[in-house]
Amino acid sequence: MNAVTSQAETSALPVTMGFGDLASFEFLQRSAKAFANSTMVPAAYQARVQKGYGERARWEENPAALSNCMIALDMAQRMNANPLMIMQNLYPIEGKPSWSSQFIIAAINNCGRFSPLRFDLEWLDEIDATYSTFEWVNNQKVEKKQKIRVKNARCVAWALEKATGQRVESAPVTMEMAVNEGWYGKNGSKWRSMPDLMLRYRSAAFFGRIYAPELLMGLPTAEEVQDVFVQEPDGTLVHAGAQAVPKSMGAAEVVLPDYDQTKFDNNVSTWAKSVVDGQKTIDDVLAWLKSKATVTPAQEKQLRAEVAKLQQPASTTATDAPQVDADKLAADMQACNDLDKLYELAGLIEAITDEAAALRLNEIFTAKQAELEQA
């Protein structure tokens, strides 16, 4: 009798949805199936979704619907929230569940810890903005540089903490930040069409992440995720990567100083000789020089003139060539750690009359040149 009573009492206990035991899992699965068959939930949770419109409309099975609904129901139970509200505001983007910003604001306002969330939005001076957009032309992704003036703004989300009466606020969000982070320049960005709304949404997300992380459960907002993904022509989403990498928001461009003229004069003949000997092209030499400093038009003209001069047949033969110790020159080139100095040393090979020694020195120079250029 006691066993029968105990079994009846056990069976009368309420079953909650969850993954902890078989009964809870079955309850969760059956509830999820009911939501998946509804057309009141977003497409990510529907068992069958419509693709296309009009005469091209077709219905396709969504194999992830049941699992998505189960996860959403489990989150709703953990947050003590309505399941439909969770599904209407939880967006799976590239496998990343993300809250809508409206949900975050509502969750903060309803948690009872803060006064209603408010926003201090201040419009500032205009700033120059340069960003990249990408368009598809003949199935090729073409980059286009856009230069505009943007009215800068600064937004802070704030509320009063009821327990202490203290004002707490988010980190500031600015239009300058939106451009520098690439949110503004992404194709289809809402930061260009409705910046005041996006400023409030992002500052609300910052506020929630700092002061109420338990409400967000570690999830980003849908707007944050969408800001770093781009929709391709076939409908797939890919990470934006360098879709927009503007760096002109008040930051000066990096300009290398002009190449030191004295140093250029001391080495131009060596660089020209490497061109004449076929070791480098003029463009190779210029590209290497420009990686270190700005080569002026006059210096480029000087280099080309030196090359042309060396390419002309010599009218006279020097009789006062300096005496050079081949072994010492080889040791100096092997120990050299500066490419400019190496070119200076290579200019001394001309004074070596022994063909075998000169050949060995040229081999040492070529090997050391490759080593220093790769460093």
Side-chain angles (χ1 to χ4, degrees):
M1 185 67 176
N2 291 338
V4 174
T5 302
S6 177
Q7 183 176 0
E9 290 177 352
T10 302
S11 62
L13 293 175
V15 178
T16 58
M17 292 184 291
F19 299 96
D21 55 71
L22 180 60
S24 298
F25 182 80
E26 288 182 347
F27 184 23
L28 177 63
Q29 190 176 41
R30 292 171 66 181
S31 300
K33 186 175 181 181
F35 278 99
N37 289 326
S38 171
T39 58
M40 298 288 289
V41 297
Y45 302 97
Q46 293 181 15
R48 298 179 73 244
V49 293
Q50 181 179 337
K51 298 288 187 179
Y53 299 94
E55 296 180 354
R56 297 185 178 180
R58 66 186 187 280
W59 290 89
E60 293 184 0
E61 299 293 328
N62 179 12
L66 184 62
S67 299
N68 288 346
C69 288
M70 292 177 69
I71 293 172
L73 288 171
D74 181 65
M75 292 187 69
Q77 181 167 294
R78 291 175 182 273
M79 299 177 67
N80 194 27
N82 180 275
L84 183 59
M85 182 184 70
I86 295 295
M87 293 182 188
Q88 292 286 358
N89 291 280
L90 184 63
Y91 302 101
I93 303 174
E94 278 292 292
K96 298 177 182 292
S98 314
W99 294 121
S100 70
S101 293
Q102 299 96 313
F103 174 83
I104 290 178
I105 296 173
I108 293 171
N109 289 344
N110 291 329
C111 72
R113 292 171 49 196
F114 308 100
S115 65
L117 201 60
R118 294 292 181 263
F119 303 91
D120 285 344
L121 178 59
E122 178 185 6
W123 290 97
L124 308 172
D125 295 335
E126 290 187 343
I127 52 177
D128 291 325
T130 302
Y131 63 92
S132 299
T133 59
F134 288 78
E135 297 180 2
W136 288 90
V137 179
N138 298 327
N139 293 324
Q140 297 274 340
K141 187 181 284 187
V142 179
E143 180 182 12
K144 290 190 176 182
K145 291 287 186 181
Q146 309 288 340
K147 293 184 178 180
I148 61 170
R149 284 189 66 81
V150 177
K151 190 169 181 61
N152 198 11
R154 181 180 185 274
C155 185
V156 171
W158 65 275
L160 297 178
E161 191 175 31
K162 292 184 177 180
T164 62
Q166 180 182 1
R167 171 182 165 127
V168 289
E169 58 183 42
S170 70
V173 181
T174 65
M175 288 299 295
E176 182 175 359
M177 178 191 297
V179 177
N180 286 335
E181 291 295 324
W183 310 333
Y184 186 92
K186 191 179 72 67
N187 291 346
S189 172
K190 296 295 184 183
W191 285 92
R192 282 178 267 171
S193 57
M194 47 183 69
D196 52 347
L197 183 63
M198 296 304 293
L199 285 164
R200 289 178 170 90
Y201 279 174
R202 191 55 51 87
S203 60
F206 283 5
F207 182 97
R209 192 167 292 120
I210 296 171
Y211 297 106
E214 70 280 1
L215 300 178
L216 278 65
M217 299 185 71
L219 303 183
T221 66
E223 289 79 11
E224 287 176 303
V225 178
Q226 289 165 348
D227 275 340
V228 294
F229 283 94
V230 171
Q231 189 171 25
E232 300 288 1
D234 61 0
T236 59
L237 290 174
V238 297
H239 197 277
Q243 280 298 110
V245 194
K247 296 297 181 187
S248 64
M249 303 296 296
E253 295 182 7
V254 177
V255 179
L256 295 174
D258 289 349
Y259 205 99
D260 181 79
Q261 188 60 47
T262 302
K263 191 174 182 181
F264 192 92
D265 293 338
N266 291 337
N267 294 283
V268 66
S269 59
T270 304
W271 299 328
K273 185 177 184 303
S274 69
V275 173
V276 174
D277 292 344
Q279 299 171 349
K280 297 284 185 180
T281 66
I282 291 182
D283 289 339
D284 290 339
V285 174
L286 288 172
W288 175 77
L289 291 173
K290 290 176 181 178
S291 69
K292 295 179 172 293
T294 298
V295 178
T296 65
Q299 289 172 333
E300 182 174 344
K301 184 178 180 180
Q302 181 182 354
L303 173 63
R304 293 184 183 278
E306 188 70 21
V307 171
K309 175 183 174 182
L310 293 178
Q311 287 174 338
Q312 296 176 356
S315 57
T316 59
T317 302
T319 59
D320 55 348
Q323 298 297 316
V324 178
D325 186 336
D327 292 335
K328 183 177 185 305
L329 180 58
D332 290 343
M333 286 196 297
Q334 289 173 334
C336 182
N337 291 320
D338 180 79
L339 199 53
D340 292 336
K341 181 63 177 177
L342 182 66
Y343 278 118
E344 292 181 17
L345 294 173
L348 299 176
I349 298 178
E350 294 177 341
I352 303 298
T353 57
D354 186 335
E355 292 184 0
L359 178 62
R360 182 171 68 91
L361 289 169
N362 277 313
E363 291 175 348
I364 294 173
F365 167 76
T366 302
K368 193 64 177 182
Q369 178 189 39
E371 176 185 340
L372 293 178
E373 287 182 348
Q374 293 175 0

